[in-house]
Amino acid sequence: MAATNDHPGEQAARDPLKLIAVRDTPLSLDEVFRAVGDDAAGGTALFVGTVRNHDGGADVDSLGYSCHPSAEAEMRRVAEKVVAEYPVRALAAVHRVGDLRVGDLAVVVAVSCPHRGEAFEACRKLIDDLKHEVPIWKHQRFSDGTEEWVGAC
């Protein structure tokens, strides 16, 4: 059967933004994955950002995320740009704020599209643009007692 873009499932969903949030509680992969479930989606891409134990050659003990009050609205704006560019069936993005430990989930984003390539590309654009455009900052505390603030997703 020849591929066609005439089927409604090949198009972006009418209301694809399913979950956009900034939270001070632990994040759930299951919640994000369920949010982007769509019978017309042939591909779902999910990205999970975790707190790593090092940065710039130094050992990281812990970190804290803080955000501007506009962070959630900016996440929505970034998500809307992604759905305008790709045939997104469903999209979710959740970022954690507060104190986190090594291994904790810091951000979870997911995108469902009719095909896997679109899902990968849309998810990559979503996380990259969130990192560069949403006013969320990371305060890293290092094992040697130093600390630094970093603009982060």
Side-chain angles (χ1 to χ4, degrees):
M1 179 174 277
T4 176
N5 288 336
D6 293 340
H7 190 279
E10 293 291 325
Q11 310 302 317
R14 198 158 173 223
D15 185 20
L17 300 186
K18 303 301 182 187
L19 174 62
I20 305 290
V22 175
R23 296 187 176 154
D24 61 1
T25 56
L27 305 182
S28 166
L29 293 175
D30 290 337
E31 176 191 25
V32 173
F33 186 67
R34 279 192 309 270
V36 297
D38 187 290
D39 289 344
T44 298
L46 182 115
F47 173 82
V48 180
T50 56
V51 178
R52 65 179 177 261
N53 67 357
H54 68 281
D55 189 37
D59 292 334
V60 172
D61 281 345
S62 64
L63 57 81
Y65 283 101
S66 60
C67 68
H68 188 272
S70 68
E72 198 167 292
E74 287 300 304
M75 284 177 70
R76 181 169 296 280
R77 182 188 59 76
V78 167
E80 288 169 348
K81 287 188 339 184
V82 171
V83 302
E85 188 173 334
Y86 296 93
V88 174
R89 299 297 306 170
L91 179 149
V94 185
H95 201 295
R96 178 99 184 261
V97 292
D99 291 328
L100 284 77
R101 295 177 173 207
V102 171
D104 284 348
L105 304 182
V107 62
V108 182
V109 300
V111 179
S112 293
C113 292
H115 303 280
R116 71 179 175 273
E118 300 157 340
F120 279 126
E121 291 172 22
C123 189
R124 174 81 185 239
K125 180 162 182 57
L126 177 60
I127 190 61
D128 286 350
D129 288 357
L130 286 177
K131 181 173 179 73
H132 292 104
E133 298 180 30
V134 177
I136 297 175
W137 305 280
K138 177 170 57 175
H139 181 210
Q140 297 187 116
R141 292 175 285 279
F142 299 101
S143 297
D144 65 4
T146 62
E147 55 188 50
E148 75 174 346
W149 283 92
V150 181
C153 144

